[in-house]
Amino acid sequence: MTEKSMRLQGKIALVTGGARGIGLAIMRALVAEGAVPVIADVNQAGAAAAVAALGHADGQVLRVDVADHASVAAMVDAIVARHGQLDILVNNAGIGGNTPFLEIGPEEWQRTIAINLSGAFFVAQACARAMAQRGEGGKIINIASLSGQRGGHGRAAYGAAKAGLELLTKVMAVELAEYGINVNNIAPGAIETEMAKFAHDQATRAAYNYLIPMTRYGTPEEIADAAVFLCSDEARYVHGHTLNVDGGFRAAGLMFRGSKAIPPGQG
Ligand SMILES: NC(=O)c1ccc[n+]([C@@H]2O[C@H](COP(=O)([O-])OP(=O)(O)OC[C@H]3O[C@@H](n4cnc5c(N)ncnc54)[C@H](O)[C@@H]3O)[C@@H](O)[C@H]2O)c1
């Protein structure tokens, strides 16, 4: 590999929810840049298989439920005990949800907020504390969502949690700059993962493909490429930012696909 392709040599990188999907693709990409993988997931068997497939001698597998504060504290303790440091956190673990506003019940609401917002906070705080204590800075990337920026159908709990995470990223950026901890947010659009396969029926897929200027779902690898950039030194002055990786979905307004251009003065 060239020197440029090993931008994260020796960095200890934790990806929560890294057993599959976007998290696993990010973990693979970080390892390709030289990082030491730590995958923590509620699915311990999946995390173990993922780390084994990465084939890294120092790779670490941890079971965590991010919604459980004690479980998160134990995860960070185990990382510091094993590696003596934590350089990168990709705060990715999350669950989906598509229940309409009038139908969503208190259990689903609370579970979604518990994992996608409170859980992300527990993880970010515990990791940032470890980074601040060591005094050598770090990189934190929160994985929010386009659904936290736009009012999508069925996205009451999920969207509210992700909007909260995006704001939390800004607060973290403000408060953690003095510790050299670089914090950013990635907002994926529609990405082809198990979560999307489960949550998106044919009508949803057609609607997404119409509304996305690039007319397709993204891949987990396209999110991973953005994550590598934000974890690298090249992004050292990018701070408190949300990087949408969404095929132009957030940028789009009116789209007249297939219709004739409206002559000037007649629109
Ligand atoms: N797929 C998309 O289109 C899309 C779009 C926008 C944002 N996102 C976000 O990207 C992240 C990853 O999504 P994905 O599509 O890869 O999902 P996925 O369901 O394929 O993977 C999520 C992973 O998180 C783990 N997880 C779930 N609950 C957990 C908990 N309580 N504690 C620890 N681990 C837990 C799961 O076991 C799984 O390995 C999520 O935060 C999601 O909200 C996804």
Side-chain angles (χ1 to χ4, degrees):
M1 289 203 186
T2 65
E3 215 169 284
K4 183 159 176 62
S5 71
M6 296 298 275
R7 287 175 286 178
L8 306 175
Q9 188 64 49
K11 301 281 185 199
I12 310 300
L14 164 65
V15 180
T16 63
R20 68 178 198 179
I22 290 172
L24 179 55
I26 292 174
M27 191 80 267
R28 278 199 203 105
L30 299 182
V31 168
E33 294 281 349
V36 177
V38 182
I39 294 184
D41 201 295
V42 75
N43 173 5
Q44 188 168 8
V51 169
L54 288 166
H56 195 293
D58 290 331
Q60 187 175 16
V61 181
L62 293 163
R63 190 200 173 273
V64 71
D65 176 357
V66 297
D68 176 349
H69 191 265
S71 172
V72 169
M75 168 187 75
V76 176
D77 286 350
I79 295 167
V80 174
R82 165 93 175 260
H83 302 282
Q85 67 195 74
L86 174 63
D87 302 293
I88 293 169
L89 161 66
V90 181
N91 204 2
N92 164 80
I95 56 169
N98 257 334
T99 310
F101 177 77
L102 292 179
E103 291 167 29
I104 190 164
E107 269 180 28
E108 184 181 343
W109 172 271
Q110 274 158 5
R111 183 171 153 69
T112 307
I113 299 294
I115 294 174
N116 290 3
L117 181 57
S118 304
F121 163 70
F122 295 156
V123 171
Q125 187 190 51
C127 291
R129 280 178 175 164
M131 289 172 182
Q133 198 170 6
R134 180 164 171 253
E136 296 195 19
K139 296 271 189 183
I140 296 179
I141 299 173
N142 293 322
I143 306 294
S145 174
L146 181 88
S147 293
Q149 304 167 336
R150 308 279 289 268
H153 196 98
R155 294 309 221 182
Y158 183 84
K162 294 298 189 177
L165 183 56
E166 193 167 321
L167 194 277
L168 184 64
T169 303
K170 293 176 184 165
V171 175
M172 289 168 64
V174 168
E175 293 198 17
L176 299 178
E178 68 180 283
Y179 300 97
I181 302 170
N182 189 201
V183 188
N184 288 293
N185 183 37
I186 291 177
I191 306 300
E192 196 64 83
T193 64
E194 293 304 312
M195 182 191 274
K197 279 177 196 151
F198 172 77
H200 298 185
D201 61 15
Q202 252 189 325
T204 307
R205 284 178 175 276
Y208 268 117
N209 286 334
Y210 182 77
L211 292 168
I212 298 167
M214 293 181 78
T215 65
R216 67 169 177 85
Y217 280 46
T219 66
E221 289 70 29
E222 287 168 325
I223 304 298
D225 286 341
V228 167
F229 166 67
L230 291 176
C231 287
S232 74
D233 198 44
E234 281 90 333
R236 63 195 170 278
Y237 202 59
V238 182
H239 192 55
H241 182 71
T242 291
L243 177 53
N244 273 58
V245 185
D246 63 6
F249 194 5
R250 190 184 194 187
L254 280 175
M255 286 194 290
F256 294 108
R257 284 211 195 90
S259 60
K260 286 188 183 146
I262 301 167
Q266 292 182 29

